Amino acid sequence: MIQRIQTFYLLLAFICNGILPYIFPLWKTMDANGKMAPHYFMQNMEFVFLLSLSNALILVSILSFKKRMQQFLLGRINLVINLILLGLFVYQSLTLSGGANSAPEKGIGLILPVFSIVFLVLANKAIKKDDELVKSVDRLR
């Protein structure tokens, strides 16, 4: 059902992957005018693809609430995608160029996949617990 706790966790993961990256920049670098220019995820196609794929999997997982094992599998796949995304974010942040005067500032957008991973793990734990509860009730019948 939609009112289960795993749906709430999946919605929080969707907010971390689908809404907050538009608000918080990944990092800020110095532009030619000497002003700090924010760098959002939309400026890199790999980030756009992985975040879009993750969001699509979250939405499919929310809508497949009757198929718990499919929901669990989609959560696992989504965890791997978010780990890859986090690795790409870390790699990009470590390879940012910056001189003595133009050191890039890391933004909160870099740690959004961490929050998403936490919510996906909690959702998978709740899905597993729900599946075990249904199996135990089936054994009693």
Side-chain angles (χ1 to χ4, degrees), residues 17 34 36 42 46 85 130:
N17 275 352
M36 294 301 274
M42 289 109 26
E46 293 89 16
L85 187 64
D130 195 30

Side-chain angles (χ1 to χ4, degrees), residues 37-51:
H39 182 84
Y40 290 94
F41 79 97
M42 289 109 26
Q43 296 166 334
N44 193 331
M45 288 309 294
E46 293 89 16
F47 299 160
V48 171
F49 175 74
L50 288 173
L51 280 171

Side-chain angles (χ1 to χ4, degrees), residues 61-111:
S61 182
I62 288 173
L63 295 176
S64 66
F65 56 89
K66 289 185 180 181
K67 302 171 187 165
R68 287 177 301 279
M69 293 318 294
Q70 178 184 356
Q71 202 175 28
F72 187 76
L73 179 66
L74 289 174
R76 288 272 174 102
I77 293 170
N78 210 345
L79 278 171
V80 171
I81 290 171
N82 277 296
L83 285 171
I84 292 170
L85 187 64
L86 181 63
L88 284 174
F89 282 173
V90 169
Y91 175 75
Q92 285 288 96
S93 71
L94 291 177
T95 59
L96 285 176
S97 62
N101 298 337
S102 64
E105 294 180 10
K106 276 47 169 198
I108 195 167
L110 286 175
I111 60 169

